[in-house]
Amino acid sequence: MTDLYSTSPRRFPAPSLRVTASPDVDAAEATVVLALRTDSSPAVLDQAIAAARRERAALRAIVFGTDTTTAPSTSPLAECTRLGASLAEAGLAYEVQRAGSDLAEQVLDLADRHAAVVIVMAAKRRSPVVKLLLGSSAQQVILEAECPVLLVK
Protein backbone atom coordinates (compact mmCIF):
# COMPACT_ATOMS: atom_id res chain seq x y z
CA MET A 1 0.00 0.00 0.00
CA THR A 2 1.31 3.45 -0.88
CA ASP A 3 1.88 5.89 1.96
CA LEU A 4 0.76 9.27 0.62
CA TYR A 5 1.16 11.19 3.85
CA SER A 6 4.79 10.84 4.77
CA THR A 7 7.61 12.68 3.10
CA SER A 8 10.31 10.90 1.24
CA PRO A 9 13.78 10.86 2.79
CA ARG A 10 16.14 13.59 1.63
CA ARG A 11 18.57 12.45 -1.03
CA PHE A 12 20.95 15.30 -0.28
CA PRO A 13 21.85 16.92 3.05
CA ALA A 14 20.20 20.24 3.82
CA PRO A 15 22.48 23.17 2.95
CA SER A 16 24.02 25.09 5.82
CA LEU A 17 22.35 28.35 6.79
CA ARG A 18 25.70 29.85 7.85
CA VAL A 19 26.86 32.49 5.40
CA THR A 20 29.90 33.90 7.17
CA ALA A 21 31.62 33.62 10.54
CA SER A 22 34.76 34.70 12.33
CA PRO A 23 37.32 31.96 13.03
CA ASP A 24 36.94 32.29 16.81
CA VAL A 25 33.14 32.24 17.07
CA ASP A 26 32.87 28.61 18.19
CA ALA A 27 35.32 29.20 21.06
CA ALA A 28 33.16 31.94 22.62
CA GLU A 29 31.84 31.23 26.10
CA ALA A 30 28.77 33.46 25.82
CA THR A 31 26.45 34.31 22.94
CA VAL A 32 24.07 37.08 21.98
CA VAL A 33 21.55 36.08 19.30
CA LEU A 34 20.36 38.76 16.88
CA ALA A 35 17.32 38.38 14.61
CA LEU A 36 17.78 41.23 12.13
CA ARG A 37 15.08 42.16 9.64
CA THR A 38 16.56 43.70 6.49
CA ASP A 39 14.45 46.87 6.81
CA SER A 40 15.01 47.44 10.53
CA SER A 41 16.54 50.55 12.01
CA PRO A 42 20.28 50.78 12.78
CA ALA A 43 19.35 50.81 16.49
CA VAL A 44 18.71 47.06 16.39
CA LEU A 45 22.28 46.27 15.34
CA ASP A 46 23.66 48.91 17.73
CA GLN A 47 21.81 47.30 20.67
CA ALA A 48 23.06 43.83 19.73
CA ILE A 49 26.68 44.99 19.43
CA ALA A 50 26.41 46.80 22.77
CA ALA A 51 24.98 43.67 24.42
CA ALA A 52 27.75 41.48 22.96
CA ARG A 53 30.42 43.87 24.21
CA ARG A 54 28.80 44.19 27.64
CA GLU A 55 28.54 40.40 28.04
CA ARG A 56 31.90 39.70 26.33
CA ALA A 57 29.98 37.42 24.00
CA ALA A 58 29.96 36.31 20.40
CA LEU A 59 27.17 37.69 18.22
CA ARG A 60 25.21 35.14 16.19
CA ALA A 61 22.86 36.84 13.75
CA ILE A 62 20.03 35.65 11.53
CA VAL A 63 19.09 37.99 8.68
CA PHE A 64 15.49 37.79 7.48
CA GLY A 65 13.14 39.71 5.24
CA THR A 66 9.68 39.08 6.71
CA ASP A 67 8.34 38.43 10.19
CA THR A 68 5.31 36.24 9.68
CA THR A 69 4.82 32.59 10.33
CA THR A 70 2.84 32.19 7.10
CA ALA A 71 5.27 33.76 4.61
CA PRO A 72 8.73 32.43 3.86
CA SER A 73 11.54 34.56 5.21
CA THR A 74 14.04 35.74 2.67
CA SER A 75 17.53 36.95 3.32
CA PRO A 76 19.65 38.10 0.41
CA LEU A 77 23.21 36.86 0.74
CA ALA A 78 24.48 40.39 0.11
CA GLU A 79 22.76 41.54 3.32
CA CYS A 80 24.34 38.67 5.25
CA THR A 81 27.86 39.37 3.99
CA ARG A 82 27.45 43.11 4.61
CA LEU A 83 26.42 42.39 8.19
CA GLY A 84 29.40 40.06 8.60
CA ALA A 85 31.75 42.82 7.44
CA SER A 86 30.16 45.25 9.93
CA LEU A 87 30.58 42.79 12.80
CA ALA A 88 34.19 42.08 11.84
CA GLU A 89 34.83 45.83 11.79
CA ALA A 90 33.31 46.07 15.28
CA GLY A 91 35.88 43.52 16.47
CA LEU A 92 33.40 40.87 17.62
CA ALA A 93 33.38 37.11 17.24
CA TYR A 94 30.39 36.58 14.96
CA GLU A 95 28.32 34.24 12.84
CA VAL A 96 25.75 35.34 10.25
CA GLN A 97 23.05 32.98 9.00
CA ARG A 98 20.40 33.35 6.36
CA ALA A 99 16.87 32.66 7.54
CA GLY A 100 15.45 29.17 7.20
CA SER A 101 11.83 28.18 6.77
CA ASP A 102 10.89 28.83 10.44
CA LEU A 103 12.56 31.93 11.83
CA ALA A 104 11.30 31.54 15.40
CA GLU A 105 12.51 27.93 15.64
CA GLN A 106 15.86 28.94 14.17
CA VAL A 107 16.32 31.75 16.72
CA LEU A 108 15.28 29.54 19.63
CA ASP A 109 17.51 26.68 18.47
CA LEU A 110 20.52 28.98 18.09
CA ALA A 111 19.90 30.48 21.54
CA ASP A 112 19.52 27.04 23.10
CA ARG A 113 22.56 25.45 21.40
CA HIS A 114 24.88 28.29 22.42
CA ALA A 115 23.35 29.19 25.81
CA ALA A 116 22.47 32.73 24.76
CA VAL A 117 22.54 35.43 27.42
CA VAL A 118 20.08 37.61 25.47
CA ILE A 119 18.14 37.61 22.20
CA VAL A 120 17.88 40.93 20.33
CA MET A 121 15.08 41.14 17.77
CA ALA A 122 13.82 43.72 15.33
CA ALA A 123 10.18 44.48 16.12
CA LYS A 124 7.62 45.85 13.72
CA ARG A 125 4.40 47.45 14.89
CA ARG A 126 1.36 45.46 13.80
CA SER A 127 -2.30 45.64 14.65
CA PRO A 128 -3.69 42.84 16.83
CA VAL A 129 -5.80 41.59 13.90
CA VAL A 130 -2.79 41.26 11.60
CA LYS A 131 -0.87 39.46 14.35
CA LEU A 132 -3.79 37.08 14.81
CA LEU A 133 -4.07 36.34 11.09
CA LEU A 134 -0.40 36.22 10.12
CA GLY A 135 1.33 35.32 13.35
CA SER A 136 4.64 36.71 14.49
CA SER A 137 8.02 35.10 14.94
CA ALA A 138 8.78 37.64 17.67
CA GLN A 139 5.73 36.54 19.67
CA GLN A 140 6.76 32.89 19.47
CA VAL A 141 10.33 33.68 20.55
CA ILE A 142 9.14 35.78 23.49
CA LEU A 143 6.86 32.98 24.69
CA GLU A 144 9.39 30.16 24.35
CA ALA A 145 12.81 31.74 25.02
CA GLU A 146 14.71 30.72 28.11
CA CYS A 147 16.75 33.94 28.18
CA PRO A 148 15.78 37.62 28.08
CA VAL A 149 14.47 38.98 24.77
CA LEU A 150 15.13 42.61 23.80
CA LEU A 151 12.75 43.96 21.12
CA VAL A 152 14.06 47.06 19.32
CA LYS A 153 12.09 49.18 16.86
Side-chain angles (χ1 to χ4, degrees):
M1 178 172 191
T2 305
D3 182 4
L4 300 174
Y5 297 103
S6 55
T7 59
S8 60
R10 293 188 79 109
R11 291 183 6 190
F12 304 103
S16 172
L17 296 174
R18 182 185 271 193
V19 175
T20 184
S22 65
D24 56 344
V25 69
D26 291 324
E29 293 183 22
T31 296
V32 171
V33 175
L34 167 64
L36 184 66
R37 201 177 58 245
T38 54
D39 63 345
S40 62
S41 74
V44 179
L45 180 58
D46 294 342
Q47 289 289 330
I49 289 173
R53 286 184 175 147
R54 182 176 57 249
E55 299 291 338
R56 291 185 166 86
L59 183 59
R60 298 179 187 269
I62 301 168
V63 179
F64 65 99
T66 58
D67 182 26
T68 65
T69 55
T70 58
S73 296
T74 59
S75 54
L77 293 179
E79 293 288 330
C80 295
T81 52
R82 186 176 56 78
L83 176 59
S86 297
L87 295 175
E89 190 176 297
L92 296 171
Y94 67 91
E95 173 186 7
V96 180
Q97 296 183 2
R98 59 187 172 82
S101 60
D102 187 345
L103 177 66
E105 275 303 311
Q106 187 177 357
V107 169
L108 291 167
D109 181 54
L110 199 59
D112 186 46
R113 264 190 294 133
H114 299 286
V117 292
V118 67
I119 298 171
V120 180
M121 293 190 74
K124 187 174 187 178
R125 194 124 178 99
R126 286 208 177 105
S127 72
V129 173
V130 173
K131 285 181 188 176
L132 178 67
L133 294 175
L134 298 179
S136 168
S137 298
Q139 287 175 319
Q140 186 177 350
V141 169
I142 290 169
L143 291 173
E144 297 180 27
E146 294 182 13
C147 65
V149 178
L150 175 62
L151 292 177
V152 183
K153 292 182 185 177

